[in-house]
Amino acid sequence: MRLSCAVNGQRRQADAVWEGESLLYVLRERFGLYGSKNACEQGECGSCSVYLDGMLVCSCLVLAGQAEGRDVVTIEGLSDSGSPHPVQQAFIEAGAVQCGFCTPGLVIAALDLLRRERRPTEEQISEALAGNLCRCTGYAKIIDAVRLASERLT
Ligand code: FES
Ligand code: FES
């Protein structure tokens, strides 16, 4: 089938998409957007998180066909200025990035939280990021980063 959708504000099209193909596969392997990471492919790690029509989703759990005619925003689309988005900058400054594999998904999940709750408590941050696994940081720096981003965005 043919898939046509908007990705980061640009109309994109892919041909010969298999019916079982995930949105994550299309983003990475067909559109060359490698920011969304492929780890578990089971909705367990959050490393593939993207926005689909403004809703946070695990792109590994979304069939490519479900994105037909819809708007997808990936980590590559968060900032169009060439500079990191304030949430990305906060992650860098707080030391919340080690190997970086989990970072794109965490940044998107953190941004989603901050759009709903500008001054989240530590509990709200932990709850919002519960679906995002990080093997390196121990999470304390990630929580610091979200707090820092919260201060910057208000
Ligand atoms: S790769 Fe999608 S949740 Fe892990
Ligand atoms: S920084 Fe390595 S998995 Fe999170």
Side-chain angles (χ1 to χ4, degrees):
M1 71 180 165
R2 170 174 290 180
L3 169 67
S4 178
C5 60
V7 181
N8 300 332
Q10 291 189 327
R11 182 63 42 196
R12 303 293 295 258
Q13 192 170 293
D15 287 317
V17 173
W18 174 56
E19 286 161 7
E21 225 167 278
S22 69
L23 175 59
L24 175 61
Y25 182 90
V26 169
L27 291 172
R28 289 178 57 86
E29 307 304 329
R30 293 179 180 272
F31 296 159
L33 294 168
Y34 299 111
S36 308
K37 297 292 184 277
N38 181 351
C40 70
E41 290 191 278
Q42 295 181 352
E44 300 286 345
C45 74
S47 64
C48 63
S49 299
V50 300
Y51 276 112
L52 180 62
D53 280 350
M55 215 173 99
L56 184 69
V57 297
C58 290
S59 59
C60 69
L61 294 183
V62 176
L63 289 173
Q66 291 177 286
E68 174 63 32
R70 298 173 74 181
D71 285 311
V72 181
V73 176
T74 69
I75 189 74
E76 290 91 345
L78 287 197
S79 171
D80 54 12
S81 65
S83 305
H85 183 278
V87 176
Q88 290 173 305
Q89 189 61 38
F91 269 66
I92 296 165
E93 289 178 33
V97 182
Q98 289 189 21
C99 81
F101 196 88
C102 66
T103 308
L106 275 162
V107 165
I108 291 194
L111 178 62
D112 190 60
L113 168 66
L114 294 171
R115 282 178 173 167
R116 288 182 276 113
E117 180 60 61
R118 277 299 169 97
R119 292 276 187 197
T121 62
E122 183 166 336
E123 195 180 359
Q124 288 172 316
I125 297 171
S126 298
E127 192 179 325
L129 304 184
N132 293 75
L133 301 185
C134 173
R135 292 184 145 189
C136 307
T137 62
Y139 299 100
K141 302 276 186 192
I142 291 170
I143 290 172
D144 290 347
V146 179
R147 277 210 205 94
L148 182 60
S150 150
E151 288 161 16
R152 299 254 172 95
L153 288 172
T154 50

